Structure formats: C-alpha cells, structure tokens
C-alpha cells in the first residue's frame, strides 16, 4: 500500500476572490451607512393575495397571517445569502437548532444527508413537505435512529418560497410534525427559459463549487389550457481537508496543547498515553502492554509523526503523539449531484386542473476520515466485542519481528499504512405525483397519488476485519502472512492488506406511497367573512430498510458500529378543519385528525387557534396543538444499533478526579423495542402582529412544546451507574471493575419527556432612500428552557453544550439572530446578512459538570459566541442578463475552539462557516423570453 503523503495547504493566488472583494466593497459601506440612519426594523407590507392555502391549513384564505406563526422565506432572502442549496440556507434559520444534520458530518450514520431540526427537537420531529406533501425519507437514519427527510434532493432554482410553520401540525399532517413543518413550495407554472451558472471558491483557493441550472417551460394554463416545465440542477463541490487549514489555528490540527490543553484531553490528537500509561497509545508506531499492564512504545515515532519533538524517548514517556485528523480527515466532503424536477398541468371544465410532478436526484458524497485502530470496543447483535483486553484482545505474537517483548502482548496501533477510512455514499431519490383539483358545485377538491423512494449504496474502504487482523498479527502460521507495522510497514505484502481491509458496503432503501383526498367549501357568511370547512382522508404506506455493513452483523469490522433495520407502516387517516371569522376582528379555527396504524395503534390530535384584530395595525394570536411521532422501523422494527458517543465515567472520576473526569468515547449498544408507544406532544403559542405603517411590521411569538413518551436510548448515565457496561482490564486505585468503559448496553424506551420554551421575533422595515429602497429585517430566536426529564430527574440544557445524546454534541445556544439589509436601485441590489450564535456553557447541563479541562485542571467554562457577515450583490445588465456575486464570512471569522463536540474537529458544526473561512461565489443568469 502507498504511504500517506501530507498535502500542503494551498498557496495558489485567488484572483477571483480579490475581484469580488473590490466589486462588493462599495456596497458594504453603503449598507453600513444606511443601517446607522435608523434603528427600526420591520417587515415589508404583506401582500393580499387571491385565496391561497397556507402551510398548516387545508382551507384557502385571503391573507397569510394565520393564528399559527408561519415564517415565509422568499426567493430573494435565499439568494442574498449566497447559499447554493436549500439545506445550507434552512440550517441558518434561527429556529433551527441542535439535532440538525449538516452535509459536513460525513462520518456520521447519516453521512451525505442534510436535515433541519426545528426547536432543537431533532430532524425526526420536523416534518418536511414538498408542495404540501411528504417525501420519502433519507435511507440512513441519523445516529442510526432518527429517520428524516434529506433536503439536498431539491433543486434550488425550482423553489418559489419556503414556509416554516413553527407550532405543532399533527392535526393537519399526522406524524412527525411535533416541532413544526417546513414546506418547500416549488414553481407551479413557468414559461420561457432561465439558464444559471455559478462558481465558488474559498479564500484559501479550495472547495471549488461548480453549478449549472436550466429551467424551461411552455404553455399557458389560462389561455392554452396547459403548462409544462422542468428544472435541471447539476453541480460538483471539491473536498476540503483538515490539512488545508493548517494555518487556521485549531481548525487545521487535532493538537490543541498550545491553547492550554493536555494531550490526554485533546480528543483528536492521537497516540497519547492515558490513565498513567494503561490506556491510549494508538499511534503510527504502535505500542504493546507489558506484564504490568503498562504501554511500551515501538520504535520509529520520530519518522512517522508530524508533530515536532517526537522521539523514541518521548514516545516511551507519553506515547507517540501525532495528528491523524490533519493527515487524513476531510473538513468538507466531495460532492457530485444532479437534481431534476418537472411539472405539467392541464385544465378541464370550469376551473379544473389535472397535474403531475416528477422528481429525480442522484448525489454522491465521499468523505475521508482517520485510519482505523486495531483494537477497541464495539457492538453487534451478539453483544459487545472487547478487542482491548481479555481473550478477544488484538495481540502481537511472541517472536513477531516488531514485538520487543519475549511474550505475546496486547497491541495498540493506528493502521496508517492501510490508509484512511473512506465512505462513499451514492443516493438516488425519485418522486412521482399525479392529481386533480377543481370545483364540484360549492365544494373545492384536491386529490393525488404520490410515490417516492430512495435507494442508497454505502461503500467503505480502509476498515479492518477483526479476525484477519488477529491472524496476521497474532498467529505466526497465518495463511495470509505477517503484518509488519510501524517503522517496518513497508515490508508488508499487498496480500496481507487485501485480507485485512476488504471493501465493505451497506444498502438502504425507503419508500412512500400515499393517496389523499381533501374537499373544502364556504358554509355561510359570518360577520368577518366566510365560514370555511375542510374534510380529508389519507392513506400512506412507508417502508425503511438498511442492510448491515458487511461483516458488522457478526462483529467483524473493528470499531464500526452495527446498524440495521427493516419495517413497514400502513396508516389510514381522516381529518376535519374549520375556520370561523366570527367577527371582522375575531377569527377562530379548529382541526382534528385521527391516524390509525395497521399495528392497531390509533391517535387523535386536535388543534385550536384564535386571532383577534382590534385595529388594522395590530393582531393578537394564539394556538394550541397536540402532536405525535410514531416509532420508526429503526426503533421498533427488526435490527439494532451499535454506535459511539461521549460519556463521563463516575467510577474512574471518583478515584482519579484530576485525570479521569473528561467525557470520552464509548460504544452504545441499543436494541429495538416492539412495545414502543408513539411520542406525544402539546404545543402552545401566543403572539402579537404589528403593522403600524405600510412599510413596518413586527411579530413576536412566545411558544412552548412539551413532548412525552419520548423515544430515546436508555440513559447512558443510568446504564453506567447500574454497571450495565463492558470495561477494559485497566483497573485503577486497586478498585475492582474500574477499567475504562468500552461499551454500554441500552434499549429504546419511552422513558423521557422534554419541554422547550422560547420567544421568536421577526421585524421588517422598508425605507425609500434617495433613488433607491432599503429593506431591513431581523429574526431572533430566544430559548428560555430546554428541559429533559429522565425518571425523577429533570435537567435544563439551555445555554449549555448539552447532553450529547440529545444535541448531537452541538449544544443549545440561548440566542440566534439573523439581521439582513438589502439596498435596491434600478438594476443594482446589494445585500448583507449578519448571523449571530450565542455562547454556551461547556457543561452537560445547567448546573452540571464541565465537559473538558485545561492542562492545569481548570475547566473549559464556555464556548464563545460566533458572528459572521455575508455580502452579496446583483447587477441586471439587461432585462435578460444578470451578474451576481457573494462573499460568505466576509471578515474571515474563525470558529471558536470547541474541545467537546464530536461532530467536527475542534469546532462546533453550528460554526461551520468559521471553519471554511471566507468563501466567494460568482454567477450569471440569462432569461430567454
């Protein structure tokens, strides 16, 4: 095998970056001056439309302000940020929180997918719709449990707007709408053609992103009786490696000792000895345990490590320190994709329409990670595997050419000579819809059949086969040969590598078949308008399956957790809704839905709303909704999960508080539970809508969501306290059964409840400024509580890094703010957006334990706040031709150091733009009439 070659950070000049900076510099100064001229923020005047259906209701209405809080995101708001995908934009919303799935988390269970998590309640509790109807879920469940909708399958150029409903909506849509609904609304008709192209590159000259889109349509539904159009979106984004950010402080290295950390507490620094030399030592040279249970370093550290000052002597004392993340891991994966959307509609009768939609997406994501170790602990359906100690330990046989001891010895070694672990996900998504809508007497109807599916192939290289590894290292008569390691790895024959590191794969499929039928009408005129009524019924069948990664079903892939599931759900539902404007100033609404599952479970969910408008410029609104999320096949089907998380060990912490209180990686083995009940929720919102002038508006909504019967892994902390763990043999302080935790046994249970409470503010203002117009808007989400109850214990995570099982080790910042300004004058427009994420206490909960410590033993108290500024500009040279440019993270802010997260190397995934740095995009659009 080829030895890894460290690629230096790019030094090529970036003339594109310089040009965009000059183009937009004047616009920046203009925006700054305009912002100073006024301290008011507010929303441009809402436009009264013909009767439309707003997300969260089946009854058409004449205005978009409903009793429920709905944020409408226009295409302009998306374009001004410079984001090139739906997922990238939605994950910047202030309502998005912990549990969202960024595309950059390529080494997670759901690598290659992208999901949104409203209110921080998880991507599985946020329902994503396309044109008001569901989509098949992504083939891979987040954390092996949470089934979600992949946002990256939607072509951005076909998007007309996005509506985000911020309260429960199970009474309208059924399961999964606990935290809210994201409805991505695509164009309904189109004539002509638009050709777009864009090219993006980072300030470091890498991460090149090339994208082209063609949207074309013909026919006029009103005059021709038909319309058909399609949108084709293709693109490729090059990977960025950790090594490409070597000069970006902690972003480009796993070695954070220069910022005050001990080697043992730098989770991405490899090779360090832990616990007094009785654990760790997984370096490029290798280490073996002597008869006293202490590690002995093998030679060659100085020539294999990238960290200065490493010698055989220092390796014996502290382990061979090295930086595998810098050598092998990607910061952002390589992506290639094609997205297609098409729609055709045909008029018939008086106002009738037959319509059909097709969608297809294919995306390949390739992510490179650090090499595998030869030992560790992991799980499979047969239970935990202990390759660290005991009869299953990975050994160097006595007499092995690289074993300095006269007896067989347990081995720690990072297989750098095998190469990085590379995950290649190829996902195909399809969607077909055919429906009809129109009028029948006094009734309006809409009915459709939908089929949607995904087919994902997950291929991996660089992983190690457990039995083969033990053979080539521990058996002198192994038929594959002998694996030479460390300094002598070049002597290993290719046949050994072929035996120990086969290509492995898994396949995931999901499908959705759905038929729905909705009718609505006005029953009578009330003082405030027509009394609206809607009825509907729905049938849907969903299936999810994941074959386990090759050999993981028998526990044979070192360090790779087992994940598999298979299940099908049939659901039948009926629902009714009423909208009653009883007075000109008072609107009441109500809805109820009953979902019946084939398993026999049934759930009724109501929703009530009220809006009072005492004057034209002010309205008060409130809503109450109940919701539910049915168990998915990963939770109650056939299969299981063996994953990794970070956990503190109270046993070792009590014995050696100076060295053993840091949360460290452990395997979590979780079994499905067929007796699970649906999660249930109650959500409340109360708000005020103000529009004192035609150019000023503001909404403030207080909200609370209570979720009970929460489906989660049994408490890791409780399992550890109960001793339901697998421990290594390195006992400390003479205390029996105090070895390092390798695995924790749990099951999915309905044991927890959550309560999340906060305030959302949306302010918008428009000014006529000289010959142009200035638009300003601000969205602010403030979290008051994020409580979780397990048994008799209730903890609050707000403002903290949070429990990694709840937040994906991302945390729960108390405040997120987006402030945007756009100045328009004739063919020009310039926009700026400020994004703010609050600081977090580096604790597992409010009043809880710190998650990381400096070398002097003092705790890492806080993860700093993070603010970025994005700038974009557009120039319509002619009516048909437009040029545009954008700079994300204009001031090149560096993401704060986060030593506790496992979602990224030393930075929080919330702060991803601060890891990449300044990013430039130029584009052009031509419209054919």
């Amino acid at each position: 095998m080829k030895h890894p070659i460290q690629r230096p950070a790019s030094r090529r000049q970036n003339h594109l970056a310089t040009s965009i900076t000059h183009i937009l510099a004047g616009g920046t100064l203009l925006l700054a001056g305009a912002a100073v001229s006024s301290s008011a923020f507010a929303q441009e005047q809402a436009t009264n439309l013909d009767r439309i259906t707003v997300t969260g209701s089946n009854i058409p209405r004449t205005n978009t302000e409903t009793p429920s809080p709905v944020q409408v995101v226009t295409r302009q708001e998306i374009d001004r940020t410079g984001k090139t995908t739906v997922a990238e934009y939605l994950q910047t919303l202030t309502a998005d929180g912990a549990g969202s799935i960024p595309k950059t988390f390529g080494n997670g269970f759901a690598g290659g997918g992208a999901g949104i998590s409203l209110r921080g309640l998880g991507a599985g509790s946020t329902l994503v719709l396309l044109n008001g109807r569901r989509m098949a879920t992504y083939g891979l469940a987040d954390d092996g449990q949470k089934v979600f909708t992949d946002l990256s399958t939607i072509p951005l150029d076909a998007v007309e707007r996005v509506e985000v409903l911020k309260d429960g909506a199970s009474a309208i849509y059924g399961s999964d709408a606990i935290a809210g609904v994201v409805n991505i609304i695509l164009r309904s008709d189109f004539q002509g053609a638009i050709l777009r192209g864009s090219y993006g590159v980072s300030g470091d000259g890498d991460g090149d992103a090339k994208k082209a889109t063609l949207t074309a349509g013909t026919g006029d539904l009103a005059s021709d009786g038909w319309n058909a159009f399609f949108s084709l979106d293709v693109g490729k984004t090059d990977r960025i490696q950790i090594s490409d950010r070597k000069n970006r402080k902690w972003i480009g290295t796993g070695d954070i000792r220069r910022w005050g950390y001990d080697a043992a507490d730098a989770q991405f620094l490899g090779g360090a000895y832990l616990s007094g030399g009785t654990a760790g030592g997984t370096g490029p040279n290798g280490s073996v345990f002597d008869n006293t249970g202490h590690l002995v370093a093998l030679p060659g550290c100085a020539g294999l490590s990238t960290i200065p000052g490493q010698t055989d002597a220092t390796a014996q004392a502290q382990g061979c320190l090295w930086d595998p993340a810098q050598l092998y891991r990607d910061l952002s994966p390589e992506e290639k994709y094609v997205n297609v959307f098409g729609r055709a509609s045909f008029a018939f009768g008086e106002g009738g329409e037959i319509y059909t939609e097709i969608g297809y997406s294919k995306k390949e994501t390739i992510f490179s990670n650090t090499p595998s170790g030869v030992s560790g602990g992991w799980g499979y359906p047969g239970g935990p595997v202990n390759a660290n100690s005991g009869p299953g330990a990975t050994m160097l046989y006595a007499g092995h050419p690289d074993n300095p001891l006269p007896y067989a010895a347990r081995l720690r070694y990072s297989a750098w000579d095998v190469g990085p672990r590379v995950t290649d996900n190829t996902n195909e998504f399809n969607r077909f819809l055919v429906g009809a809508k129109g009028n029948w007497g006094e009734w309006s109807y809409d009915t459709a059949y939908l089929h949607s599916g995904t087919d994902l192939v997950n291929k991996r290289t660089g992983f190690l086969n457990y039995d083969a590894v033990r053979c080539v290292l521990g058996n002198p008569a192994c038929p594959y040969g002998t694996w030479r390691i460390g300094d002598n790895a070049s002597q290993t024959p290719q046949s050994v590598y072929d035996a120990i590191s086969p290509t492995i794969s898994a396949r995931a499929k999901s499908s959705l078949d759905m038929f729905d039928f909705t009718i609505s009408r006005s029953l009578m005129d009330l003082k405030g308008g027509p009394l609206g009524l809607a009825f509907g019924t729905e049938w849907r069948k969903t299936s999810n399956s994941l074959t386990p990664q090759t050999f993981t079903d028998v526990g044979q892939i070192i360090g790779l957790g087992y994940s598999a599931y298979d299940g099908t759900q049939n659901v039948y539902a009926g629902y009714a809704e009423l909208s009653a404007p009883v007075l000109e100033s008072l609107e009441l609404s109500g809805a109820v839905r009953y979902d019946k599952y084939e398993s026999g479970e049934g759930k009724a969910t109501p929703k009530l709303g009220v809006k009072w408008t005492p004057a034209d410029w002010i309205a008060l609104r409130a809503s109450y909704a109940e919701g539910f999320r049915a168990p998915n096949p990963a939770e109650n089907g056939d299969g299981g999960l063996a994953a990794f998380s970070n956990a503190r060990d109270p046993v070792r912490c009590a014995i050696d508080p100076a060295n053993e209180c840091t949360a460290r990686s452990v395997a979590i083995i979780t079994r499905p539970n067929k007796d699970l009940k649906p999660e249930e929720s109650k959500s409340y919102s109360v708000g005020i809508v103000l529009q004192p002038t035609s150019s000023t508006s503001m909404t403030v909504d207080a909200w609370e969501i209570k979720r009970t019967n929460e489906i989660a892994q049994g408490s890791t902390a409780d399992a550890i306290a109960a001793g339901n763990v697998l421990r290594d043999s390195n006992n400390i302080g003479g205390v029996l059964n105090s070895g390092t935790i390798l695995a924790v046994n749990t099951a999915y249970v309905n044991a927890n409840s959550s309560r999340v409470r906060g305030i959302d503010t949306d302010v918008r203002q428009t000014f006529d400024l000289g010959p142009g117009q200035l638009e300003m808007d601000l969205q602010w989400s403030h979290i008051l509580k994020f409580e979780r109850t397990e048994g008799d214990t209730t903890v609050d995570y707000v403002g903290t890094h949070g429990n990694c099982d709840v937040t994906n080790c991302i945390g729960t910042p108390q405040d997120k703010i987006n402030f945007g300004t756009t100045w328009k004058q004739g063919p020009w427009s310039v926009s700026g957006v400020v994004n703010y994420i609050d600081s977090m206490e580096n604790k597992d909960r409010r009043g809880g334990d710190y998650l990381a410590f400096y070398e002097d033993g003092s705790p890492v108290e806080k993860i700093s706040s993070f603010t970025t500024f994005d700038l974009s500009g557009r120039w319509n040279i002619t009516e048909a031709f437009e040029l545009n440019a954008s700079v994300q993270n204009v001031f090149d802010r560096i993401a704060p150091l986060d030593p506790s997260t496992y979602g990224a190397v030393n930075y929080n995934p919330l702060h991803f733009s601060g890891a990449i740095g300044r990013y430039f995009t130029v584009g052009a659009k031509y419209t054919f009439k």
Side-chain angles (χ1 to χ4, degrees), residues 306-485:
T306 56
I307 295 179
Q310 299 302 295
T311 65
D312 286 350
T314 60
Q316 292 295 351
Q318 65 180 10
C320 182
L321 304 183
W322 73 311
D323 201 338
Q326 188 180 82
L327 284 168
Y328 299 97
R329 182 162 166 161
D330 286 343
L331 185 69
S332 180
E334 176 186 346
E335 282 191 332
K336 293 180 287 187
Y337 63 86
V338 55
N339 294 326
V340 181
F341 174 78
R343 190 178 197 277
S345 52
F346 307 89
F348 71 92
E350 294 293 328
E353 179 185 338
I354 295 174
Y355 56 92
T356 183
E357 297 175 359
I358 59 169
Y360 174 80
S361 170
K362 183 175 182 179
K363 183 176 73 168
E364 182 180 16
T365 305
I366 302 174
F367 186 88
S368 177
N369 203 0
T370 53
S372 175
V374 300
S375 55
W378 63 95
Y380 76 108
V385 177
N386 181 3
N388 271 356
S389 58
T394 301
M395 309 287 289
L396 270 187
Y397 66 81
H400 186 288
D402 299 313
N403 186 357
L405 303 177
Y407 45 81
R410 292 182 291 139
L411 176 67
R412 299 292 180 268
Y413 177 60
S414 182
W416 61 271
D417 49 320
V418 172
R421 290 170 293 172
V422 178
T423 300
D424 185 334
N425 283 332
T426 300
N427 183 49
E428 291 188 82
F429 167 84
N430 64 78
R431 181 177 183 269
F432 170 76
L433 173 76
V434 60
K437 60 183 178 181
N439 301 310
W440 182 37
E442 297 295 322
W443 292 91
S444 297
Y445 65 87
D446 190 353
T447 183
Y449 167 75
L450 168 68
H451 171 78
S452 181
T454 64
D455 188 351
L456 183 145
V457 176
N458 173 282
K459 294 182 179 179
R460 305 192 188 211
T461 59
F463 289 79
L464 299 179
N465 183 286
Y466 178 43
D467 280 350
V469 165
R470 288 203 295 170
C471 179
V472 297
L473 292 173
N475 181 3
C478 181
Y480 306 131
T482 296
W483 183 8
R484 300 299 304 275
I485 61 174

Side-chain angles (χ1 to χ4, degrees), residues 144-202:
Q145 175 197 358
K146 307 162 192 130
V147 173
F148 68 98
T149 302
D150 180 19
L151 297 168
S152 61
T153 60
I154 301 166
L156 180 60
D157 206 52
V159 174
E160 181 178 290
R161 67 184 186 277
V162 179
E163 294 179 352
V164 183
L165 175 65
K166 298 181 180 179
D167 67 1
S170 288
I172 306 298
Y173 302 112
S175 178
D176 307 335
I178 283 179
V181 177
V182 176
N183 188 10
I184 301 165
I185 299 171
L186 307 185
R187 301 175 188 267
S188 58
D189 58 33
F190 182 77
Q191 297 179 58
I194 296 177
L195 180 64
R196 292 178 185 258
S198 66
Y199 174 74
V201 64
S202 77

Side-chain angles (χ1 to χ4, degrees), residues 752-775:
N752 308 320
S753 63
S754 297
R755 182 173 65 162
V756 188
R757 180 189 300 165
I759 299 173
D760 285 344
T761 303
D762 192 325
V763 191
R764 299 176 187 254
Q765 175 72 54
T766 301
F767 297 101
D768 290 325
L769 191 66
Q773 186 178 69
L774 178 68
E775 301 171 353

Side-chain angles (χ1 to χ4, degrees), residues 697-717:
S697 71
M698 178 174 69
T699 63
V700 180
D701 292 282
W703 54 270
E704 179 177 278
I705 300 174
K706 295 180 179 179
R707 182 170 61 179
T708 56
N709 281 343
E710 191 172 319
I711 301 171
Q713 297 170 339
S715 167
T716 301

Side-chain angles (χ1 to χ4, degrees), residues 33-248:
V36 170
S37 69
S38 175
S39 60
F41 309 105
Q43 179 182 27
E44 64 180 284
Q45 183 177 10
T47 303
N48 282 340
L49 307 173
D50 293 333
R51 291 177 68 83
I52 59 172
T53 301
V54 179
T55 300
S57 174
N58 288 307
I59 299 176
R61 55 189 296 119
T62 57
N63 63 78
T64 59
E65 288 294 350
T66 70
S68 296
V70 179
Q71 179 182 351
V72 179
V73 179
T74 65
R75 188 53 197 271
Q76 173 188 308
E77 289 178 278
I78 299 175
D79 288 343
R80 73 182 183 182
T81 64
K83 307 297 184 185
T84 57
T85 69
V86 174
E88 285 182 279
Y89 176 77
L90 289 178
Q91 289 175 347
T92 67
L93 296 179
T94 60
D96 181 47
S100 64
I101 304 161
K103 71 172 186 177
T104 53
F105 196 16
N107 63 328
F109 275 97
I116 183 173
S117 169
L118 294 178
R119 311 304 192 195
L121 289 173
S125 292
T126 301
L127 180 61
V128 176
L129 305 176
L130 186 64
N131 287 342
R133 289 182 170 94
R134 292 173 179 255
M135 303 161 60
T137 55
Y138 190 56
L140 300 175
D142 181 35
D143 284 343
Q145 175 197 358
K146 307 162 192 130
V147 173
F148 68 98
T149 302
D150 180 19
L151 297 168
S152 61
T153 60
I154 301 166
L156 180 60
D157 206 52
V159 174
E160 181 178 290
R161 67 184 186 277
V162 179
E163 294 179 352
V164 183
L165 175 65
K166 298 181 180 179
D167 67 1
S170 288
I172 306 298
Y173 302 112
S175 178
D176 307 335
I178 283 179
V181 177
V182 176
N183 188 10
I184 301 165
I185 299 171
L186 307 185
R187 301 175 188 267
S188 58
D189 58 33
F190 182 77
Q191 297 179 58
I194 296 177
L195 180 64
R196 292 178 185 258
S198 66
Y199 174 74
V201 64
S202 77
D204 288 275
D206 53 20
D208 301 32
K210 297 172 278 290
K211 180 179 179 180
T213 302
L214 173 64
T215 302
T218 185
D220 183 274
L221 192 64
S223 59
D224 300 329
W226 64 279
N227 174 263
F229 76 94
F230 77 94
S231 181
L232 172 66
D233 186 14
V234 296
K236 181 180 185 297
T237 303
D238 294 341
R239 70 172 179 164
I240 300 175
Q241 294 179 284
I242 295 289
S243 59
D244 294 328
R245 296 296 180 269
K246 281 183 181 177
N247 298 321
R248 197 170 176 79

